[in-house]
Amino acid sequence: MMNTNEVDNNAQGDNGKEIKKIIGIFLDYWKRFIVAIIFCLGIAYAYLRYSTPMYKIDATVLVEDQDKGGASDLLGGASSMLQDFGGLFDIKSSVDNEAQILQTKDLMGQVVKDMKLYVSYFNKGLIHSIELYKNSPIKLNLSTPLDSLKYPTQLEVSNITNTHVLIRETSEKINVDTTYTVKWDTPFPINAGIVTLQKTGLPFGSNEGFTIYLNPVNQVIEDLQNVLNVDIPNKQVTTINLELKYSLPGKGQDILNTMISDYIHENITQKNAFADSTIDFINGRLLVVDKELADIEKGVEVF
């Protein structure tokens, strides 16, 4: 009968042989292992160095509580009763309605037009381009209506001098590839319409190659809506959380701030319009009542 210690010694001996075999393979191909490690580290460095990171930008909107003040006090809490019934019949609350408004195409379209997000500027690099925001030395103004931007257009700016620049216009949708020289501050035609190229006063730097992208407004709106998340954290509170994923944190923050500002401005405009229509209605009724009272008074005098 074999002893247990002998079995353990044999197992340890086999394990030692396997380890020596693995070490031998490594020693035979150590150069390949080092090259593979360096190659993997190089790929990881290039990915971290040149990939475009996405940032999460958060904001919170406080929706006005309709139960506090105003007509609800005159109704003696009728609004609260309606909200209770709304839970039974699945009627959306004011917070749900405002969350839907924040996701509408009209509101995002106003943001795109206010910030001119249909135009973006990039500094051309050896491997990838870097988007410029508020630090672009060039600025493009579109003189024609925004409806003329029907297809994505790319303008490559090079050979920059004090008076002229070289523009290469390309568009994959309509197969356009045109190169021409234009003057600063002078309108010139492209496929999308009439544009003007201006200097912003910022230095151009050592790299004088820039790329300007012109995109249709509807496409920019759709892209922003895809990276925007509107969430109601708690049905018992009147706050709405906004989250936007964007490559430039400063630009993403400005987009959310402009979106909230346009939302508030639209709310104020609607309330003012409602107040004006209410005042006009009351004034009209007062004129009718005044005329009726005058007729009654005249009838009393005749009597």
Side-chain angles (χ1 to χ4, degrees):
M1 186 173 181
M2 184 177 294
N3 192 352
T4 305
N5 293 332
E6 293 179 358
V7 174
D8 293 340
N9 292 332
N10 292 334
Q12 292 178 359
D14 293 338
N15 293 334
K17 292 179 180 179
E18 291 294 332
I19 294 175
K20 291 180 180 180
K21 185 177 179 180
I22 294 174
I23 294 175
I25 294 174
F26 178 78
L27 293 176
D28 292 338
Y29 299 98
W30 67 272
K31 294 182 180 180
R32 297 183 181 181
F33 281 112
I34 292 178
V35 171
I37 293 173
I38 294 175
F39 179 74
C40 294
L41 292 177
I43 292 178
Y45 172 79
Y47 175 79
L48 295 176
R49 175 66 177 82
Y50 297 106
S51 62
T52 303
M54 299 297 291
Y55 300 90
K56 289 184 179 180
I57 301 96
D58 300 323
T60 302
V61 177
L62 177 63
V63 179
E64 181 181 357
D65 191 352
Q66 301 295 333
D67 289 339
K68 295 181 180 180
S72 61
D73 293 337
L74 300 176
L75 295 176
S79 178
S80 297
M81 262 178 24
L82 290 176
Q83 285 189 353
D84 294 337
F85 282 113
L88 295 176
F89 296 103
D90 196 22
I91 300 176
K92 289 187 176 182
S93 65
S94 60
V95 181
D96 292 317
N97 295 332
E98 298 304 317
Q100 293 296 325
I101 293 175
L102 287 168
Q103 300 179 75
T104 57
K105 183 178 179 180
D106 292 338
L107 179 60
M108 188 61 73
Q110 188 62 43
V111 175
V112 172
K113 294 175 183 178
D114 290 342
M115 298 184 62
K116 297 183 178 180
L117 298 177
Y118 47 86
V119 183
S120 55
Y121 307 89
F122 285 81
N123 190 354
K124 295 175 63 176
L126 296 176
I127 297 179
H128 81 307
S129 300
I130 301 175
E131 184 176 359
L132 303 175
Y133 177 64
K134 291 185 177 181
N135 58 343
S136 174
I138 58 177
K139 178 182 179 182
L140 189 76
N141 291 324
L142 185 65
S143 303
T144 52
L146 294 179
D147 296 338
S148 62
L149 291 176
K150 297 181 180 179
Y151 304 102
T153 302
Q154 179 176 332
L155 301 178
E156 296 182 7
V157 183
S158 60
N159 296 341
I160 299 173
T161 65
N162 292 329
T163 57
H164 297 78
V165 292
L166 183 66
I167 300 289
R168 182 191 175 197
E169 177 187 359
T170 58
S171 179
E172 297 180 357
K173 292 288 185 179
I174 53 178
N175 193 20
V176 173
D177 192 343
T178 308
T179 303
Y180 37 84
T181 302
V182 300
K183 294 182 180 180
W184 293 105
D185 302 320
T186 302
F188 61 95
I190 61 174
N191 181 70
I194 306 298
V195 297
T196 304
L197 195 62
Q198 299 175 337
K199 298 178 183 179
T200 62
L202 297 175
F204 286 94
S206 58
N207 186 0
E208 297 182 354
F210 300 93
T211 304
I212 303 174
Y213 292 95
L214 291 169
N215 293 304
V217 175
N218 290 334
Q219 177 182 333
V220 180
I221 293 173
E222 183 178 352
D223 292 341
L224 287 176
Q225 287 181 324
N226 290 334
V227 295
L228 175 68
N229 182 36
V230 180
D231 179 56
I232 302 175
N234 190 347
K235 294 291 184 179
Q236 303 301 322
V237 297
T238 60
T239 58
I240 301 175
N241 292 342
L242 303 177
E243 180 184 279
L244 182 70
K245 295 180 181 178
Y246 210 79
S247 57
L248 293 178
K251 187 175 182 179
Q253 185 175 1
D254 288 344
I255 291 174
L256 279 187
N257 290 337
T258 304
M259 180 179 174
I260 295 173
S261 177
D262 289 344
Y263 163 77
I264 295 174
H265 180 266
E266 183 64 23
N267 271 349
I268 294 175
T269 301
Q270 291 182 357
K271 289 182 179 180
N272 290 339
F274 178 76
D276 292 339
S277 62
T278 303
I279 292 174
D280 292 339
F281 173 77
I282 293 174
N283 290 334
R285 293 302 303 168
L286 287 176
L287 292 176
V288 174
V289 172
D290 184 64
K291 184 177 181 302
E292 291 177 352
L293 290 176
D295 293 341
I296 294 174
E297 184 178 358
K298 185 176 181 181
V300 171
E301 290 178 356
V302 172
F303 177 77

